[in-house]
Amino acid sequence: MKVEVNLLSSCKTELGIEVEAERWKPDYQAVCQKYLRQSRVPGFRPGRAPLPIVQQRYGDSIRADFLEAAVRKYFTEAVESESLTPLSLPKIADVDFAPGQPFTFKATFEVPPALELPDYRGLEIEQVPTEVKDEEVEAVLEQLREQSAVYLPVEDRPAQPGDHAVISLEGKYSTAGREDIRDDDVTCELGGEGTPQEFTDNLSGAQCGEIRTFSVTYGDDHPNRQLAGHQMNYRVELKAVKQKRLPELDDEFAKDAGVYSSVEDMRSKVRADCVERKEKAARSEMQSRLVDLLVEDTSFDVPEVLVEEQLESRLKDTMQALMMQGVHPSTLKLDWNQFREQQREKAVLDVKRAILLEDIAEKEQLTVSDEELEEEIARIAQGADQPIEAVRSRLTRDGGAARIKNTIRNRKCLDLILRLASVKTPPGLIVQP
């Protein structure tokens, strides 16, 4: 077999493949024999018709089956002989097949670009601040108080701003043809963020059992796309009024909130957690900056197939994020093709970063052991509150284990780049001891 390699670009290759007749003939005969065994020719017992008659009767199908298998077989042999790594199925062209003649075809496909790695040792970068201020600690303590808040019923006065009103509501669109809204158990904070002012104005001063009617006009940019740009006519019954009470920030609250012996112990551990989070975020940000420096210092083409995969991934992530917020993507008046193209520049950058990390990991011979893979699977299982065996089985079935190994390898590569970097402390920066 003869293979001619033609480099169309740094990441696109064309192979011209020629297979001698003596080599492809056994494969062709094997296909003919398969049709002979399965043939049903009038006047002959099944599988007993003469081969020339079978070839005449099923010639087009025999040719198609042979070519499909032969292209796959000889293409695989060709890329292995040339040590190439196709990133996608090839585009096949110029197929030439005739009895007794060499079988030839061309295959075009994308490959990882060959690039000259920049020097990734000793890159200079500034330390990202990790100082934790007192107000940040107090903000976390306030969040913990909010999480432990109780809501006490108010019975001796009407509702007022700051209260949490439990209501049932009916909403009718001013626009005809849209389905009414009904909900018998809604809680809204009067005067709170996210509560339309009309609800606060109309429910303030109301007693339990009272019914108020009013309209709300929602802006076009309202996050709930079912309401955005519409006017709703509401009929609201106030069912209950509750007042939020926060626990005192004292030793008793600290002991109830978790593994704290006192409020000062709580404050100390919260600060330690904040420092850990900041250091982790700072480390991630510095790693990202270092990879960006490498991208800026390296010029190379990226395979379109990888860019398309990244675009699909970004689109999928966006849709999942919207659905997590209760917004179905189909309700948005967006040109998704345009949105997809707007992500192209970022997708190209993502691919460049991935290729550079892969090449560095290969050069540094970074590997992932079975033990490291098992530790990561155990972590995923714990986070999902699922049995390790079930998670392992699912990952093995859908190829997820390979993706996890690649993630761990990239993580090791990022750690290495940062470890080799020269991290400078900018003037005035407070470094945690």
Side-chain angles (χ1 to χ4, degrees):
M1 183 173 69
K2 299 178 182 178
V3 180
E4 181 182 342
V5 181
N6 182 19
L7 300 179
L8 303 180
S9 71
S10 62
C11 53
K12 181 174 285 189
T13 298
E14 178 189 78
L15 296 183
I17 301 172
E18 178 180 315
V19 185
E20 301 82 357
E22 293 77 10
R23 185 167 183 182
W24 62 253
K25 189 175 181 180
D27 295 331
Y28 182 77
Q29 290 174 338
V31 177
C32 291
Q33 289 298 319
K34 183 187 72 171
Y35 272 83
L36 177 62
R37 291 191 300 271
Q38 299 174 353
S39 64
R40 298 293 186 269
V41 180
F44 298 93
R45 286 185 296 168
R48 294 295 184 176
L51 182 57
I53 294 178
V54 172
Q55 290 175 319
Q56 182 179 10
R57 186 179 181 89
Y58 299 104
D60 289 344
S61 296
I62 292 173
R63 175 187 174 89
D65 283 5
F66 165 74
L67 289 178
E68 180 181 356
V71 165
R72 184 167 57 249
K73 173 183 177 179
Y74 297 121
F75 171 74
T76 301
E77 290 183 8
V79 296
E80 289 178 353
S81 68
E82 298 297 328
S83 299
L84 297 172
T85 306
L87 295 173
S88 62
L89 293 175
K91 293 183 179 179
I92 305 300
D94 299 341
V95 178
D96 188 4
F97 170 68
Q101 299 297 318
F103 164 45
T104 62
F105 64 95
K106 291 182 179 180
T108 305
F109 52 94
E110 290 188 302
V111 295
L115 55 93
E116 184 176 345
L117 281 173
D119 187 4
Y120 51 86
R121 297 172 179 270
L123 293 173
E124 291 191 1
I125 189 172
E126 284 193 353
Q127 172 71 50
V128 174
T130 58
E131 176 194 5
V132 175
K133 299 179 180 179
D134 291 344
E135 50 264 36
E136 294 178 80
V137 175
E138 297 307 313
V140 175
L141 294 176
E142 191 64 22
Q143 290 176 4
L144 293 173
R145 291 180 68 207
E146 289 282 347
Q147 293 170 10
S148 298
V150 294
Y151 295 84
L152 304 177
V154 176
E155 299 175 347
D156 57 349
R157 62 169 175 77
Q160 64 185 29
D163 289 339
H164 290 254
V166 182
I167 61 176
S168 64
L169 62 80
E170 297 179 9
K172 296 182 180 293
Y173 285 92
S174 294
T175 307
R178 298 182 67 88
E179 188 175 351
D180 296 344
I181 295 174
R182 288 184 175 83
D183 200 325
D184 290 329
D185 189 16
V186 178
T187 299
C188 62
E189 181 184 2
L190 301 186
E193 184 179 356
T195 300
Q197 186 61 39
E198 292 85 347
F199 276 78
T200 300
D201 293 342
N202 285 276
L203 293 177
S204 293
Q207 299 281 357
C208 290
E210 282 192 49
I211 294 175
R212 298 290 174 92
T213 58
F214 54 90
S215 297
V216 177
T217 300
Y218 295 93
D220 293 335
D221 58 348
H222 193 272
N224 187 333
R225 305 311 299 174
Q226 292 181 328
L227 298 175
H230 293 283
Q231 178 178 303
M232 296 294 298
N233 303 311
Y234 287 109
R235 181 180 184 275
V236 178
E237 178 183 355
L238 181 62
K239 298 171 64 177
V241 178
K242 296 184 178 182
Q243 189 173 40
K244 182 170 73 172
R245 292 286 178 85
L246 298 178
E248 293 294 327
L249 186 58
D250 54 20
D251 291 347
E252 182 179 353
F253 166 67
K255 293 174 183 178
D256 291 339
V259 288
Y260 310 113
S261 59
S262 65
V263 69
E264 286 308 313
D265 179 48
M266 185 182 198
R267 185 174 277 108
S268 175
K269 289 179 178 176
V270 165
R271 178 179 294 277
D273 288 342
C274 289
V275 170
E276 183 179 354
R277 283 196 299 271
K278 278 206 168 186
E279 287 179 345
K280 185 177 180 180
R283 184 178 184 83
S284 178
E285 184 177 341
M286 288 189 292
Q287 289 173 338
S288 181
R289 290 182 185 178
L290 288 169
V291 177
D292 286 343
L293 288 175
L294 293 173
V295 170
E296 292 171 6
D297 201 29
T298 314
S299 178
F300 60 97
D301 296 326
V302 295
E304 184 62 22
V305 62
L306 297 183
V307 175
E308 289 296 320
E309 288 178 1
Q310 189 60 32
L311 285 171
E312 287 299 319
S313 177
R314 281 180 164 269
L315 184 61
K316 181 180 178 181
D317 289 346
T318 299
M319 290 186 171
Q320 287 180 340
L322 288 170
M323 295 183 73
M324 290 290 289
Q325 297 171 20
V327 179
H328 197 283
S330 62
T331 64
L332 299 178
K333 298 177 182 178
L334 283 179
D335 184 336
W336 289 105
N337 288 328
Q338 183 182 18
F339 173 82
R340 191 172 180 276
E341 286 306 305
Q342 288 172 345
Q343 299 294 309
R344 179 169 289 276
E345 185 176 345
K346 293 179 180 179
V348 169
L349 179 59
D350 289 341
V351 173
K352 285 187 172 184
R353 291 165 61 96
I355 289 173
L356 279 167
L357 288 176
E358 177 67 23
D359 279 27
I360 293 173
E362 193 70 26
K363 182 176 179 179
E364 295 289 340
Q365 298 182 340
L366 300 180
T367 59
V368 178
S369 67
D370 292 340
E371 291 76 14
E372 290 171 319
L373 177 60
E374 281 300 309
E375 288 176 4
E376 189 69 10
I377 291 175
R379 188 189 64 79
I380 294 172
Q382 183 179 12
D385 195 22
Q386 295 179 355
I388 294 178
E389 293 76 12
V391 174
R392 185 189 298 111
S393 176
R394 185 182 71 250
L395 292 173
T396 302
R397 187 172 58 252
D398 64 9
R403 292 194 296 272
I404 292 175
K405 272 195 169 184
N406 188 58
T407 299
I408 299 173
R409 193 177 187 220
N410 280 350
R411 191 186 303 155
K412 286 186 172 185
C413 191
L414 289 168
D415 289 342
L416 173 67
I417 294 172
L418 182 56
R419 190 162 62 248
L420 296 174
S422 175
V423 182
K424 306 295 184 181
T425 302
L429 177 65
I430 299 177
V431 180
Q432 295 292 332

